[in-house]
Amino acid sequence: MSETTTAAKAAPKARATKSTKSAAASPFADFEAFSMPNMEVPAMFREATEKSIDSAREAYAKVKTAAEDATDLIEDTFETSRQGAVEFNHKAVDAAKINTDATFSFIKDLMAVKTLAEAIELQSTFARQQFDTFSAQAKDMQEFATKLSTDVTAPVKDAFEKSFKEFKAA
């Protein structure tokens, strides 16, 4: 008997749920106070709004162009830096190879000497040559680093100068 009563009570709940969903979709559909009024927008307000929208579009276009230019500038700067770093590393490896070859050649010549005087003379000559070589390599690396820093910073400097000129003109 209790089973029949429970089944009878469950059926009305299901119906209530269905009717609630249809009412929840549009509870005030027929209520006149919530309908949108039909009113005409004044021409001055419309013109001001259109001008604001045009201004916003122009500002967006300027910002978008500036952002794209900045992105291009950064990409170019990073690419220049990358190429410079690779070239600098090649120069360093070449210098190390030259110095290593000179050292092995010196050791080979040192093993062939017969007197202490020859060894001292060979050592002095090698030291002088290596000093000159190191000086030339250091000068070359310094010149390259200076050129690289100029190449990397020049586009950024030009972009800043251009933007300041545009800012002053505006």
Side-chain angles (χ1 to χ4, degrees):
M1 222 182 183
S2 61
E3 291 178 18
T4 341
T5 334
T6 309
K9 287 183 183 176
K13 286 183 183 177
R15 284 187 208 132
T17 308
K18 288 181 184 176
S19 63
T20 306
K21 286 183 181 177
S22 64
S26 176
F28 302 109
D30 297 330
F31 193 56
E32 198 172 305
F34 290 108
S35 64
M36 292 297 293
N38 291 332
M39 60 186 261
E40 189 171 318
V41 177
M44 283 181 46
F45 182 73
R46 185 178 307 126
E47 288 174 15
T49 304
E50 287 174 359
K51 285 181 183 179
S52 296
I53 290 171
D54 289 342
S55 273
R57 284 185 180 144
E58 289 174 16
Y60 171 76
K62 288 179 182 178
V63 168
K64 181 182 175 190
T65 302
E68 288 171 349
D69 291 346
T71 302
D72 291 343
L73 176 68
I74 290 170
E75 287 175 353
D76 292 345
T77 302
F78 282 142
E79 181 59 24
T80 303
S81 298
R82 185 195 67 77
Q83 289 173 347
V86 167
E87 191 173 339
F88 191 83
N89 287 339
H90 284 280
K91 285 183 175 287
V93 169
D94 290 343
K97 182 184 180 309
I98 289 169
N99 296 334
T100 304
D101 290 345
T103 303
F104 280 127
S105 176
F106 165 70
I107 291 172
K108 178 183 165 192
D109 293 344
L110 189 61
M111 293 298 160
V113 297
K114 303 218 189 290
T115 65
L116 182 60
E118 283 181 62
I120 292 173
E121 185 180 336
L122 187 63
Q123 171 65 32
S124 298
T125 305
F126 175 72
R128 220 174 304 113
Q129 288 173 345
Q130 282 304 104
F131 180 77
D132 292 342
T133 303
F134 282 143
S135 296
Q137 289 170 344
K139 183 179 177 184
D140 184 43
M141 295 289 242
Q142 180 184 10
E143 289 172 357
F144 181 76
T146 303
K147 179 185 174 295
L148 177 62
S149 66
T150 302
D151 290 347
V152 168
T153 58
V156 176
K157 180 183 171 190
D158 293 342
F160 275 115
E161 288 175 357
K162 178 184 171 189
S163 64
F164 282 130
K165 285 179 184 176
E166 290 174 1
F167 181 71
K168 286 180 182 179

